[in-house]
Amino acid sequence: MTSRRTPLYGWLTAEAISLTGTRVSMIALPFLVLTTTGSATQTGLVALFETLPMVVLKVLGGPVIDRIGARRVSITCDLASLVVVGMIPLLHAAGTLSFPALLGLVAVAGGLRGPGDSAKQALVPAVAEHANVPLERVTGLAGTVERASSMLGAALAGGMVAVIGATNALIVDALSFGLSAVALLVTTRTLPAPPPLVEEDAASYGRQLREGWDFLRGDRVLFGIATMVALTNLLDAAYVTVLVPVWAVESGRGAGAIGLVFAVFSACSAIGAVCAAAWAARLPRYRTYLLAFLVCGLPRYAAFAFDSPLWLVVGATMACGFAAGFINPVLGAVIFERIPQPLVGRVSSLTTAMCFALMPLGGLLGGVLVTGVGLGPAMLVVGLAYFAVTMLPAVDPRWREMDRRPDLSTRADAAAGAR
């Protein structure tokens, strides 16, 4: 039984390593730009150049994942990311890292993360089936790993930026990609290879892409989830890349405060995800979704908007983090159980691409709001928008289908229709 679960454990390990490094760069890179340029707008511009290629290549990478396999795509993108991300601190140390060069490097890094992250997510059904573990359990464990890695990465970033500087902290992010690739290479060998393409499967690239889009568009629950998450990710991108760093700089609390806020949120989210892994299969998904977003949305923005003391900010962050831990396990299980196996790469890539589609504008949104109305009002505007977006499903009856599991015959018919 243990050997059957080796790919699952290896996949979780690779996710933990990669996400830890990514969270380090999520703090180190904006802080580097803010401290060297003093511009919230340029900080948002860096976020734009990183996330836009990531979203585009998430869309375009789906058919490639289905054709050559999620494992190969993930390992290849991780190894390439090791080189590209590593160039940022090397060029900065050499004194040759201009702002245009930085934009170019983060654009390539973002472009590699798009198909790389999608490929890792596309492995979920395979590792769950190979380990004979329910999807809710795997998505719950993945959520736990994500939150725990966010906590560790945020804590590491806050400490490393304060002690050794933001550029050196980016070296950790680069190395994490290499370690992630090795973990997947060693532990997932026993996963079945993608089945060889038969003539009717070897459709043109464009046709395969359309098949994935037609299926996603035709499933009103999946499409609704992707649209809602796209809007919340836009607001979260403004929060993470601009609003919180500006709060830390203006309040004089520095990078340590950024690390503290993100680490506390991630730690409590990890606890929530552990609970979700244990209970999610028995919880009503629709009500869990609404309650979790009610707690994890507006309160944290309000704490910053009204210039609350640090203890209150941390308290609100703890409550929000715990509630947030239930969201991804529930939504992840709904998404993967509705996608037929032959379309997993395309539909999951398109779904995550939609979820990330507005993130390139998040940094710019945060920068424009802070410049135009100030930090406090900007936090409040974003928080109210977050509340409106996440509570809209309370009046939309289609979201209640989250509690209804499609049977195997429904999935087979959906796959045939997509073809």
Side-chain angles (χ1 to χ4, degrees):
M1 179 63 70
T2 301
S3 62
R4 289 189 60 82
R5 295 190 177 183
T6 297
L8 172 60
Y9 299 147
W11 178 79
L12 290 171
T13 301
E15 280 280 273
I17 295 170
S18 180
L19 288 169
T20 298
T22 300
R23 294 307 184 267
V24 169
S25 69
M26 188 175 69
I27 294 175
L29 191 57
F31 202 80
L32 171 66
V33 179
L34 269 176
T35 54
T36 55
T37 68
S39 170
T41 301
Q42 286 190 339
T43 303
L45 191 61
V46 169
L48 169 66
F49 269 70
E50 180 179 14
T51 52
L52 183 58
M54 178 173 64
V55 171
V56 172
L57 290 184
K58 274 182 181 293
V59 173
L60 300 179
V64 178
I65 294 172
D66 283 333
R67 280 176 176 266
I68 68 175
R71 179 176 179 266
R72 293 177 183 175
V73 173
S74 179
I75 292 171
T76 301
C77 289
D78 277 351
L79 291 176
S81 296
L82 165 65
V83 177
V84 174
V85 175
M87 292 295 294
I88 297 176
L90 290 178
L91 291 178
H92 186 271
T96 57
L97 184 64
S98 63
F99 188 68
L102 175 62
L103 292 179
L105 286 171
V106 298
V108 175
L112 289 170
R113 273 190 59 200
D117 289 352
S118 293
K120 284 190 180 69
Q121 290 303 306
L123 283 169
V124 168
V127 297
E129 181 178 358
H130 192 273
N132 195 26
V133 174
L135 270 175
E136 286 92 348
R137 183 67 51 82
V138 175
T139 55
L141 290 172
T144 303
V145 166
E146 178 187 359
R147 306 301 185 175
S149 300
S150 297
M151 174 192 65
L152 178 60
L156 281 174
M160 286 190 297
V161 169
V163 174
I164 64 175
T167 53
N168 290 324
L170 290 173
I171 296 176
V172 174
D173 182 31
L175 293 176
S176 70
F177 285 109
L179 293 175
S180 173
V182 171
L184 280 179
L185 185 65
V186 172
T187 62
T188 60
R189 295 174 180 174
T190 57
L191 286 179
L197 293 174
V198 297
E199 184 176 352
E200 68 177 36
D201 290 330
S204 68
Y205 176 90
R207 178 182 169 186
Q208 288 188 319
L209 201 59
R210 287 194 302 273
E211 287 173 353
W213 170 247
D214 288 342
F215 180 86
L216 175 59
R217 184 181 56 180
D219 190 310
R220 60 182 187 175
V221 174
L222 286 183
F223 195 81
I225 289 174
T227 302
M228 180 276 299
V229 176
L231 293 170
T232 57
N233 279 346
L234 165 70
L235 302 172
D236 279 333
Y239 172 83
V240 169
T241 61
V242 176
L243 298 184
V244 173
V246 170
W247 165 79
V249 171
E250 289 189 357
S251 66
R253 295 185 173 100
I258 305 176
L260 175 63
V261 168
F262 290 159
V264 167
F265 183 88
S266 299
C268 294
S269 297
I271 296 173
V274 169
C275 295
W279 306 332
R282 300 188 298 273
L283 290 174
R285 292 171 174 175
Y286 177 70
R287 294 180 182 178
T288 301
Y289 159 85
L290 288 177
L291 180 60
F293 265 126
L294 185 64
V295 174
C296 81
L298 182 58
R300 62 183 160 125
Y301 289 98
F304 286 98
F306 295 107
D307 196 23
S308 304
L310 186 60
W311 66 267
L312 185 55
V313 169
V314 171
T317 301
M318 291 174 65
C320 295
F322 179 76
F326 285 81
I327 295 172
N328 285 349
V330 169
L331 295 183
V334 172
I335 289 170
F336 282 114
E337 75 183 14
R338 299 180 75 91
I339 303 175
Q341 192 279 330
L343 301 180
V344 167
R346 279 163 280 179
V347 179
S348 62
S349 293
L350 287 167
T351 302
T352 54
M354 278 192 64
C355 293
F356 280 75
L358 299 179
M359 284 184 66
L361 303 177
L364 292 179
L365 173 65
V368 169
L369 285 175
V370 170
T371 302
V373 300
L375 178 61
M379 281 283 190
L380 193 57
V381 167
V382 173
L384 290 172
Y386 202 100
F387 175 82
V389 168
T390 55
M391 290 299 105
L392 182 61
V395 296
D396 186 347
R398 69 178 176 176
W399 285 79
R400 296 183 182 274
E401 292 184 24
M402 293 173 63
D403 288 328
R404 199 169 11 179
R405 297 171 181 271
D407 58 82
L408 294 178
S409 62
T410 300
R411 294 182 65 183
D413 291 343
R419 292 189 176 283

